[in-house]
């Protein structure tokens, strides 16, 4: 009889941290101690707290072990699994509160979340369909096919207020309704799992942890609009997600959830996986469909919209992974339940990938309307190393930078747009006082320039001109009129670009000019970067009162820019200095500063 379950995170983050070796160590230790009939070892998907992997959680105790190594496993098996005594020195230490958290729910990271899309993540084996079924899996599909008409399904999704979690936040139910209306012999259901935003990994984590939730939702969507075929477009750089999707689809077919006459209802539906090559523009719905068709991934003019003429010219719906991950729960629990979470116009929860200058890097799901401050300071554990929170970027290259002064803004679709950002797919990058906001704007714009498909002039040429202006400013050659040019160009690109990616490309620049104009002016007028990031505006200086003349800095300088006699103050020739920082790193007396 199984008395304990050992759950080891097998998501991408923990895999990179060595979870496979931890799993192998548990297998050996369980076998060596003859515990095969008492202990079940389960490889799960992402638990969310990626910064402290590999993660091991032991149930029914819900004891949460962090940064587990193969060498730790033997002691955990002997002490915890055999003697019932958790090994506290391996347990996740919630240092901010001065206590050791044995259970997940004891930690601010988890107790402040409401999990719907991530309901099964880190809880079930994603490669075992029976575990998904045990967690109410495919019950929503059974209810839909045996008790509901297609229009009733659409009404429930509309009434729930679920908005697309992939970017613009369009009503999911309304999208399904528009695709259900046209009369056609063929319709398609598509899933956008491309997820190209820097720092975003929400969709990847759901596919790695709970692939059946997406499959079930796509079947329900197919029934609602009258489609018998679906496509999941997932980037090839997600090998674990792709593998688990393939396993899940195969298992669903064997169980009769995919294929002909599902639940004896006469309804047919099947799913095909299409691998993307990593083009950012293929996250745009029409470019994604063009890529599925085997053509170059470029956006199409709209109208006609995909609901009327989408994939292969047929009526099509496209939702992203997180949107689909909400569907089954809405069907089972009802529209009113979903509307009770979040805000009036932004119902439910939102999954964010927390990254950047934050203590708890990872995946979180919070009710819409949660403030940025709560996400950063409580769930995220605050900014490390005693630094001050400066800004957060939401929506990736399509979003904007939110300053710390707006940290109490409730995070939902409308509030983010009002302050110059957007929800996007859910990347949330935190920046501290050492971040140069001009450089951040240049980083995101550089990404957009590189990823532009080139089909329309405003995006192809306009973003390049904006980037050149930012290069000019960060190199110390900027002029005040460059700010006017950036704003004018940005607004032209927003209004004239063909697709949503081009239309939102200027957001990082426009939002940083709006909230951090003083930094732009400092770069232009004072030829200075206070954050010490823009190399051409930096100076490394040796302090006379601290330099002991040890010559260590001169020895590591690659250009011979540092001179001075032994035991005497050294100096840096600014005309030779390439701002590499090697001298500062080598100095043991804090005698070298950058200004």
């Amino acid at each position: 009889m199984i008395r304990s379950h050992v759950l080891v995170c097998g998501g991408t983050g923990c895999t990179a941290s060595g979870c496979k070796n931890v799993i192998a160590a548990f297998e050996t230790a369980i076998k060596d101690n003859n515990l095969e009939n008492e202990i079940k070892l389960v490889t799960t998907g992402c638990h969310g707290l990626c910064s402290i992997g590999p993660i091991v959680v032991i149930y029914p105790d819900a004891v949460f072990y962090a940064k587990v190594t193969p060498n730790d496993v033997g002691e955990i098996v002997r002490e915890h699994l055999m003697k019932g005594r958790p090994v506290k020195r391996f347990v996740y230490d919630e240092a901010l509160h001065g206590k050791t958290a044995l259970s997940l729910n004891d930690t601010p990271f988890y107790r402040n979340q409401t999990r719907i899309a991530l309901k099964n993540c880190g809880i079930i084996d994603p490669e075992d369909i029976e575990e998904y079924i045990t967690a109410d899996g495919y019950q929503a599909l059974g209810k839909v096919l045996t008790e509901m008409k297609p229009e009733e399904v659409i009404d429930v999704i509309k009434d729930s207020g679920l908005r697309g979690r992939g970017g613009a936040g369009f009503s999911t139910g309304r999208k399904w309704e528009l695709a259900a209306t046209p009369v056609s012999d063929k319709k398609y259901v598509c899933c956008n799992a491309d997820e190209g935003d820097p720092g975003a990994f929400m969709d990847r984590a759901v596919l790695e942890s709970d692939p059946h939730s997406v499959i079930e939702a796509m079947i329900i969507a197919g029934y609602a609009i009258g489609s018998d075929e679906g496509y999941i477009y997932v980037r090839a750089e997600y090998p674990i997600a792709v593998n688990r999707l393939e396993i899940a689809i195969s298992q669903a077919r064997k169980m009769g959830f995919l294929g002909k006459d599902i639940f004896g209802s006469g309804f047919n539906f099947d799913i095909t996986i299409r691998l993307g090559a990593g083009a950012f523009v293929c996250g745009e719905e029409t470019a994604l469909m063009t890529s599925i068709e085997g053509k170059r991934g470029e956006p199409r003019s709209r109208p006609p919209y995909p609901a009327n003429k989408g994939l292969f010219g047929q009526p099509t719906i496209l939702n992203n992974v997180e949107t689909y991950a909400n569907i089954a729960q809405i069907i089972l629990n009802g529209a009113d339940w979903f509307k009770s979470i979040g805000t009036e116009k932004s119902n439910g929860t939102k999954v964010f990938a927390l990254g950047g200058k934050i203590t708890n890097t990872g995946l979180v799901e919070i009710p819409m309307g949660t403030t940025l401050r709560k996400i950063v300071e409580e769930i995220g554990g605050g900014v490390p190393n005693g630094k001050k929170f400066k800004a957060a970027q939401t929506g990736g290259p399509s979003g904007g930078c939110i300053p710390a002064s707006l940290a109490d803004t409730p995070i939902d679709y409308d509030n983010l747009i009002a302050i110059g950002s957007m929800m996007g797919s859910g990347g949330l990058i935190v920046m501290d006082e050492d971040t140069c906001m001009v450089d951040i704007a240049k980083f995101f714009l550089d990404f957009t320039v590189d990823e532009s498909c080139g089909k329309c002039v405003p995006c192809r040429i306009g973003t390049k001109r904006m980037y050149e202006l930012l290069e000019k400013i960060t190199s110390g050659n900027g002029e005040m009129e460059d700010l006017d040019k950036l704003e004018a160009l940005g607004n032209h690109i927003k209004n004239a670009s063909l697709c949503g990616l081009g239309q939102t490309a200027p957001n990082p620049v426009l939002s940083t000019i709006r909230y951090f104009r003083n930094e732009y002016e400092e770069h232009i007028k004072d030829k200075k970067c206070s954050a010490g990031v823009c190399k051409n505006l930096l100076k490394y200086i040796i302090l006379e009162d601290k330099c002991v003349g040890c010559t260590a800095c001169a020895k590591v300088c690659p250009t011979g820019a540092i001179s001075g006699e032994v035991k005497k103050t050294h100096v840096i020739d600014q005309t030779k200095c390439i701002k590499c920082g090697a001298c500062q790193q080598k100095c043991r007396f804090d005698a070298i500063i950058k200004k």
Side-chain angles (χ1 to χ4, degrees):
M1 180 178 176
I2 300 297
R3 57 178 175 80
S4 292
H5 287 73
V6 178
L7 277 54
V8 183
C9 173
T12 293
C14 286
T15 296
S17 300
C19 73
K20 289 185 178 180
N21 294 330
V22 172
I23 292 168
F26 267 110
E27 290 173 340
T28 300
I30 290 171
K31 183 178 180 180
D32 289 348
N33 289 282
N34 298 315
L35 297 173
E36 297 100 317
N37 296 325
E38 300 177 48
I39 308 298
K40 183 175 181 180
L41 180 64
V42 180
T43 301
T44 71
C46 180
H47 284 78
L49 201 43
C50 305
S51 56
I52 58 169
I55 289 171
V56 175
V57 183
I58 296 181
Y59 287 100
D61 313 317
V63 173
F64 185 78
Y65 292 112
K67 295 185 178 181
V68 178
T69 70
N71 293 333
D72 303 331
V73 169
E75 187 174 352
I76 292 173
V77 171
R78 290 191 304 271
E79 293 297 315
H80 189 161
L81 297 179
M82 298 180 72
K83 300 177 183 178
R85 302 186 299 210
V87 186
K88 290 192 175 182
R89 62 195 179 93
F90 300 143
V91 170
Y92 173 47
D93 184 6
E94 186 50 60
L96 292 175
H97 295 266
K99 69 170 188 176
T100 298
L102 290 178
S103 171
L104 276 70
N105 294 328
D106 289 336
T107 68
F109 182 83
Y110 288 102
R111 70 167 174 256
N112 286 304
Q113 295 188 49
T114 300
R115 292 194 156 205
I116 299 175
L118 302 182
K119 169 179 174 282
N120 294 325
C121 295
I123 304 297
I124 66 171
D125 181 350
E127 298 183 15
D128 187 346
I129 191 172
E130 292 187 1
E131 290 207 9
Y132 178 70
I133 292 171
T134 302
D136 297 332
Y138 291 106
Q139 285 195 22
L141 176 61
K143 178 179 179 179
V144 162
L145 294 185
T146 61
E147 300 177 19
M148 301 175 73
K149 296 177 181 179
E151 55 269 24
E152 291 175 329
V153 176
I154 292 173
D155 286 343
V156 170
I157 302 304
K158 279 178 61 179
D159 291 346
S160 74
L162 175 65
R163 297 171 67 170
R165 298 306 197 237
F170 188 76
S171 166
T172 301
R174 178 61 178 151
K175 179 181 284 189
W176 290 15
E177 184 177 54
L178 290 171
T181 302
V183 177
S184 176
D185 293 335
K186 191 70 177 180
K187 296 182 181 182
Y188 293 97
V189 173
C190 291
C191 174
N192 182 354
D194 188 60
E195 196 171 46
D197 290 8
F201 50 92
M202 302 75 57
D203 292 350
R204 184 195 74 200
V206 172
L207 292 178
E208 290 177 354
S209 308
D210 195 16
H212 287 285
S213 66
V214 176
I215 294 169
E216 181 177 14
M218 290 180 68
I219 304 169
I220 292 170
Y223 175 74
I225 71 165
S227 167
D228 65 356
E229 188 172 1
Y231 284 89
I232 299 177
Y233 188 87
V234 58
R235 53 181 44 225
E237 296 97 327
Y238 285 178
I240 297 176
V242 171
N243 179 58
R244 289 179 180 169
L245 264 177
E246 291 172 341
I247 292 170
I249 289 173
S250 175
Q251 291 176 342
R253 286 185 183 133
K254 289 180 181 177
M255 284 279 192
F257 300 131
L258 281 173
K260 303 289 185 180
D261 194 25
I262 302 171
F263 283 129
S265 64
F267 173 64
N268 308 325
F269 193 83
D270 211 340
I271 293 174
T272 301
I273 296 173
R274 282 285 188 271
L275 299 184
F280 180 62
V281 73
C282 287
E284 194 275 339
E285 62 178 3
T286 61
L288 183 152
M289 293 175 195
T290 305
S291 181
I292 290 177
E293 293 169 359
K295 304 170 188 174
R296 178 184 174 91
E298 292 181 333
R300 304 167 182 166
S301 297
R302 297 178 300 176
Y305 292 94
N308 292 304
K309 190 176 180 181
L311 185 62
F312 300 114
Q314 302 299 323
T316 305
I317 59 169
L318 173 71
N319 294 112
N320 82 326
V321 169
E322 185 185 344
T323 307
Y324 282 125
N326 283 278
I327 297 297
Q329 295 304 305
I330 292 172
I331 296 295
L332 290 177
N333 296 296
D336 289 341
W337 163 79
F338 192 76
K339 285 193 292 188
S340 70
I341 304 167
T343 64
E344 182 180 354
K345 294 183 179 179
S346 297
N347 303 137
T349 60
K350 182 70 189 78
V351 179
F352 286 100
L354 275 179
K357 304 295 182 65
I358 191 76
T359 300
N360 297 332
T361 301
L363 206 64
V364 303
E365 184 172 4
I366 49 95
M368 292 281 195
T370 302
T371 64
L372 180 61
R373 186 182 305 281
K374 186 167 187 176
I375 296 171
V376 173
E377 294 182 0
E378 294 185 37
I379 299 173
V383 177
N385 303 318
K387 299 291 184 178
K388 293 180 181 178
F389 169 50
K390 183 174 186 177
Q393 170 86 359
T394 64
S398 301
C401 292
I402 305 169
S405 60
L406 296 177
D408 291 316
T409 300
I411 300 298
D412 61 25
Y413 290 99
D414 301 321
N415 281 325
L416 287 180
I417 291 172
I419 60 177
S421 189
M422 65 181 292
M423 189 75 73
S425 58
L428 201 162
I429 300 174
V430 179
M431 291 161 267
D432 67 10
E433 60 193 87
D434 293 335
T435 303
C436 170
M437 302 311 295
V438 185
D439 182 69
I440 281 292
K442 188 173 77 168
F443 167 79
F444 281 111
L445 198 60
D446 181 39
F447 178 86
T448 306
V449 169
D450 191 50
E451 291 291 341
S452 173
C453 76
K455 188 172 183 177
C456 73
V457 172
C459 180
R460 183 180 74 245
I461 305 298
T463 55
K464 179 66 174 175
R465 296 292 87 86
M466 289 186 74
Y467 181 79
E468 290 169 352
L469 287 169
L470 290 177
E471 273 277 90
K472 181 183 176 185
I473 292 171
T474 56
S475 65
N477 299 311
E479 303 168 272
M480 285 304 295
E481 53 262 37
D482 292 335
L483 296 183
D484 295 330
K485 291 178 182 178
L486 281 170
E487 290 182 306
L489 257 176
N491 287 318
H492 283 310
I493 294 167
K494 286 173 72 73
N495 294 327
S497 291
L498 174 62
C499 78
L501 298 184
Q503 291 160 11
T504 56
N507 282 348
V509 180
L510 296 178
S511 65
T512 50
I513 291 177
R514 177 179 177 181
Y515 294 116
F516 300 95
R517 192 180 186 93
N518 63 309
E519 290 196 29
Y520 282 86
E521 293 180 351
E522 178 188 66
H523 280 65
I524 295 169
K525 293 179 179 179
D526 303 330
K527 310 300 179 186
K528 179 182 177 183
C529 175
S530 293
V533 174
C534 300
K535 283 190 175 183
N536 287 338
L537 302 180
L538 288 182
K539 283 186 179 180
Y540 283 90
I541 297 173
I542 299 176
L543 301 174
E544 289 186 33
D545 59 335
K546 288 191 175 183
C547 179
V548 298
C550 70
T551 74
C553 58
K555 291 177 182 178
V556 298
C557 180
T559 61
I562 302 177
S563 60
E565 298 179 20
V566 177
K567 296 185 179 181
K568 291 186 178 180
T569 301
H570 284 47
V571 294
I572 299 175
D573 185 344
Q574 298 297 331
T575 63
K576 294 181 179 180
C577 179
I578 60 172
K579 287 88 173 177
C580 66
C583 57
Q584 187 183 47
Q585 293 173 14
K586 192 67 174 178
C587 181
R588 294 182 291 113
F589 303 98
D590 297 325
I592 301 176
I593 61 171
K594 59 182 178 181
K595 296 179 65 177

